[in-house]
Amino acid sequence: MANKNCIISLQGVTKSFDGNTVVDDISLDITKGEFVTLLGPSGCGKTTTLRMIAGFDTPTSGQILLNGEDITRIPPHKRPINTVFQRYALFPYLDVYDNVAFGLKLKKIPYEVTNKKGEVVTKYRHFTRQEIDEKVMRALKIIDLEDLENRDISTLSGGQQQRVAIARAIVNEPEILLLDEPLGALDLKMRKEMQLELKEMHKKLGITFIYVTHDQEEALTMSDTIVVMNGGIIQQMGSPIDIYNEPVNAFVANFIGESNIYNATMVGKLKVKFLNHVFDCIDDFSLNEKVEVVVRPEDVEMTKVGKSVDEDRLKGKIVTKIFKGIHYEYVLMVGKSEVVAQSTKDYELDSFVYIDVEPENIQIMKKTTTTNTYPEAYLDKNNKLIISDTEFDVDIAQLLKGSHVDDLLYLIGPDGKKYDLDDADVIASIDFNAIEIVDGYDNGNANGVVIETIYKGDHYSVLVRTAEEEDFIIDTVDTWNEGDLVSVKVAPEKIHLTLKGDISKYEVE
């Protein structure tokens, strides 16, 4: 292994259930002693990744290495790894001490003896009562429950029960501790307290923590390294500061903290235009390249507009004002676009302010997609476009300039040649704003579920996924919630086709 400090290495790991890929070819190295958090929305693959590290699930493909040794198919009980789950699974009929000691009483440890032949052989024995007592009391001291060892589990608070579950995991002295959303059952105040306590436990133990959560505040508070996942893929990996300040795409920016996200265009050297205004920036992209920008609310600078108005400066009207305790949160309207800003200054509702953003606070990201593209599409015998078993009306005459379709559905070229495009392979592309979302199933071309919604200042970017795992990205001014069951509709003239190969192979006599 290249990095001798690497304790866990996932190499091209994929996991599928009934043909549905949950974790898609991820590679990840985790260093000894790190506190690593797998962060993402429900269904992103983070828990499945944790379960594969633990040994509860086996990868469909790829390898998992522990200290350079392949453990992909080694069962959980033979791995030096313990797991703390959201549901602590404590034994209600045992007290705190016996809950923590339970695993130690069953465990056997190797020791060497010399037999009558003078050979050194390995035998196994249980821990002594004194050894168990020393280990249990050390674990209880780490979690600050050493005075409650005789308490019944039912008399403990949720936070105390969570600590007992951690003690039961660390008493076996694992090399790695896995934590699967262990704070999910706690109230907000207790959760915040336990975040700090877990970080302190990590320092005391010095072992590797791998933590799973959908709560970005937890990830930012506790982690040395955050791994942001979505759709079974690692979107970004880095320190909390890097993830927050330098998101690589709109998903990460939207998921980690509040963000203003806009479509933008590079209009010059270190010049970017969004909100119909040109800003200086520090990221260098090609001239006229379409990009996305992220501006955090706390980086929006506001200045009250006086009697003398500077027409060259960007102005916004305050339409919403909320006091958040340590600052005000404002929503400003710039034309039809919203800007969320935070400030300790008290500005009047409906007043106008100048908006400024320092160049280093404008994060520019390359647009990963600019249109919906379907490279595996094809035409059927009725000249319908088929995308993952979904049928769309389409104008096939666009495939050959000057052509038309006759009554028998043949494509007739300008020279009179006839083409039968049944089963012709094509690449279909549909602009984001060319798709309509309709509430409910069977009201359009395809049915799907809203997977993701990102606000872009004056519209939403909505990701709809079909049962066949086909994605449609739609720009819309309407609000949709994750989990909504919807249909998508596309007008025939909005679908652009490119024929794979030469049209001559479809010519008929």
Side-chain angles (χ1 to χ4, degrees):
M1 186 177 295
N3 181 4
K4 65 180 181 179
N5 291 320
C6 178
I7 188 168
I8 279 285
S9 180
L10 280 66
Q11 301 183 355
V13 170
T14 295
K15 181 62 180 178
S16 299
F17 296 98
D18 299 325
N20 180 31
T21 300
V22 179
V23 175
D24 191 1
D25 191 27
I26 67 169
S27 295
L28 171 66
D29 288 344
I30 297 175
T31 303
K32 292 178 182 178
E34 259 192 307
F35 194 127
V36 176
T37 297
L38 306 181
L39 174 68
S42 298
C44 73
K46 57 187 185 295
T47 293
T48 300
T49 301
L50 196 80
R51 288 178 59 85
M52 288 190 288
I53 294 172
F56 300 130
D57 288 331
T58 302
T60 305
S61 62
Q63 281 187 312
I64 299 176
L65 306 181
L66 173 66
N67 294 319
E69 299 294 327
D70 188 352
I71 62 166
T72 309
R73 306 198 179 278
I74 292 179
H77 67 276
K78 292 187 177 181
R79 304 185 185 197
I81 299 172
N82 274 34
T83 306
V84 178
F85 299 99
Q86 182 174 349
R87 295 181 179 179
Y88 313 134
L90 300 174
F91 299 113
Y93 52 85
L94 298 179
D95 61 17
V96 170
Y97 182 99
D98 286 331
N99 261 280
V100 177
F102 185 83
L104 292 177
K105 293 178 180 179
L106 299 177
K107 188 176 182 180
K108 290 184 177 182
I109 55 174
Y111 68 100
E112 293 181 344
V113 296
T114 303
N115 62 18
K116 294 179 179 179
K117 298 180 181 180
E119 301 169 332
V120 177
V121 295
T122 300
K123 291 190 175 184
Y124 291 85
R125 67 172 178 85
H126 288 288
F127 284 113
T128 65
R129 182 180 295 275
Q130 181 179 349
E131 288 173 329
I132 291 175
D133 190 63
E134 289 174 353
K135 288 179 180 292
V136 169
M137 295 313 296
R138 177 177 177 270
L140 290 176
K141 185 175 182 181
I142 290 173
I143 64 166
D144 294 325
L145 288 182
E146 63 266 36
D147 295 329
L148 300 180
E149 69 267 25
N150 296 319
R151 286 275 295 273
D152 289 338
I153 290 297
S154 61
T155 66
L156 301 181
S157 67
Q160 289 171 328
Q161 290 185 24
Q162 194 257 9
R163 290 190 217 172
V164 174
I166 292 173
R168 191 172 62 181
I170 65 176
V171 77
N172 289 303
E173 300 174 356
E175 294 184 45
I176 300 170
L177 184 63
L178 308 181
L179 301 107
D180 188 6
E181 304 208 45
L183 308 186
L186 305 180
D187 60 44
L188 179 61
K189 183 179 179 182
M190 180 65 70
R191 203 158 61 234
K192 289 181 179 294
E193 290 176 358
M194 285 305 303
Q195 288 171 13
L196 300 177
E197 290 192 21
L198 275 175
K199 185 65 177 174
E200 189 60 32
M201 284 183 208
H202 175 252
K203 289 180 181 177
K204 289 180 182 177
L205 291 167
I207 64 175
T208 304
F209 276 30
I210 305 177
Y211 191 94
V212 160
T213 184
H214 63 275
D215 188 322
Q216 49 94 7
E217 183 183 349
E218 282 185 8
L220 293 171
T221 299
M222 297 187 292
S223 313
D224 299 319
T225 301
I226 297 175
V227 180
V228 184
M229 297 183 66
N230 189 38
I233 297 171
I234 294 176
Q235 301 289 321
Q236 187 172 358
M237 178 176 175
S239 69
I241 292 175
D242 289 342
I243 295 288
Y244 186 84
N245 290 332
E246 298 287 343
V248 297
N249 56 39
F251 171 80
V252 175
N254 187 62
F255 197 79
I256 304 290
E258 291 187 83
S259 300
N260 295 291
I261 305 174
Y262 305 103
N263 294 322
T265 305
M266 301 303 297
V267 294
K269 181 72 172 178
L270 302 182
K271 300 282 185 182
V272 62
K273 186 175 183 179
F274 61 97
L275 296 173
N276 201 31
H277 185 81
V278 177
F279 293 84
D280 292 327
C281 60
I282 61 173
D283 296 315
D284 194 11
F285 286 77
S286 301
L287 181 65
N288 295 322
E289 183 174 353
K290 299 295 183 182
V291 295
E292 290 179 318
V293 301
V294 173
V295 179
R296 298 291 187 183
E298 63 269 23
D299 292 329
V300 177
E301 299 176 7
M302 304 164 60
T303 309
K304 187 176 180 179
V305 174
K307 293 182 179 180
S308 177
V309 179
D310 186 345
E311 297 296 339
D312 293 330
R313 296 182 68 183
L314 181 63
K315 296 180 292 295
K317 181 181 179 180
I318 297 175
V319 296
T320 301
K321 173 184 175 181
I322 301 174
F323 182 58
K324 291 291 187 80
I326 58 174
H327 65 262
Y328 292 92
E329 182 172 280
Y330 298 96
V331 176
L332 318 173
M333 292 303 299
V334 179
K336 294 182 179 180
S337 297
E338 289 185 3
V339 179
V340 180
Q342 294 175 357
S343 176
T344 56
K345 295 182 179 179
D346 185 1
Y347 295 99
E348 293 181 7
L349 197 63
D350 295 326
S351 64
F352 286 86
V353 292
Y354 294 119
I355 298 172
D356 295 293
V357 185
E358 292 296 323
E360 62 270 18
N361 292 329
I362 298 175
Q363 309 302 325
I364 301 180
M365 305 172 297
K366 187 175 283 288
K367 258 188 176 297
T368 53
T369 54
T370 57
T371 187
N372 292 287
T373 303
Y374 306 98
E376 304 301 324
Y378 65 94
L379 300 173
D380 69 5
K381 63 181 180 180
N382 297 313
N383 292 336
K384 303 286 189 180
L385 174 69
I386 307 299
I387 301 175
S388 290
D389 297 330
T390 301
E391 185 180 280
F392 294 83
D393 289 325
V394 69
D395 177 18
I396 68 168
Q398 64 183 286
L399 295 171
L400 183 61
K401 187 175 181 180
S403 66
H404 68 278
V405 180
D406 69 7
D407 293 340
L408 297 176
L409 301 182
Y410 290 112
L411 182 68
I412 309 300
D415 54 3
K417 290 182 178 180
K418 184 188 299 184
Y419 303 93
D420 181 0
L421 294 175
D422 180 20
D423 207 31
D425 292 324
V426 296
I427 299 172
S429 60
I430 310 171
D431 290 341
F432 297 154
N433 59 6
I435 305 176
E436 180 185 355
I437 309 179
V438 184
D439 193 22
Y441 268 13
D442 299 326
N443 294 319
N445 298 101
N447 298 323
V449 179
V450 175
I451 299 298
E452 176 183 297
T453 298
I454 298 176
Y455 190 57
K456 295 290 189 74
D458 60 350
H459 70 276
Y460 294 90
S461 177
V462 179
L463 173 62
V464 174
R465 181 166 295 160
T466 69
E468 294 78 26
E469 296 290 306
E470 199 67 75
D471 289 346
F472 294 88
I473 300 174
I474 303 116
D475 284 347
T476 176
V477 296
D478 297 325
T479 304
W480 296 91
N481 298 316
E482 293 182 12
D484 284 349
L485 305 179
V486 298
S487 302
V488 296
K489 296 172 64 176
V490 189
E493 65 272 15
K494 299 292 187 179
I495 301 175
H496 307 284
L497 299 180
T498 301
L499 188 67
K500 289 184 178 181
D502 196 281
I503 196 170
S504 60
K505 70 178 182 178
Y506 300 103
E507 186 179 349
V508 294
E509 295 298 333

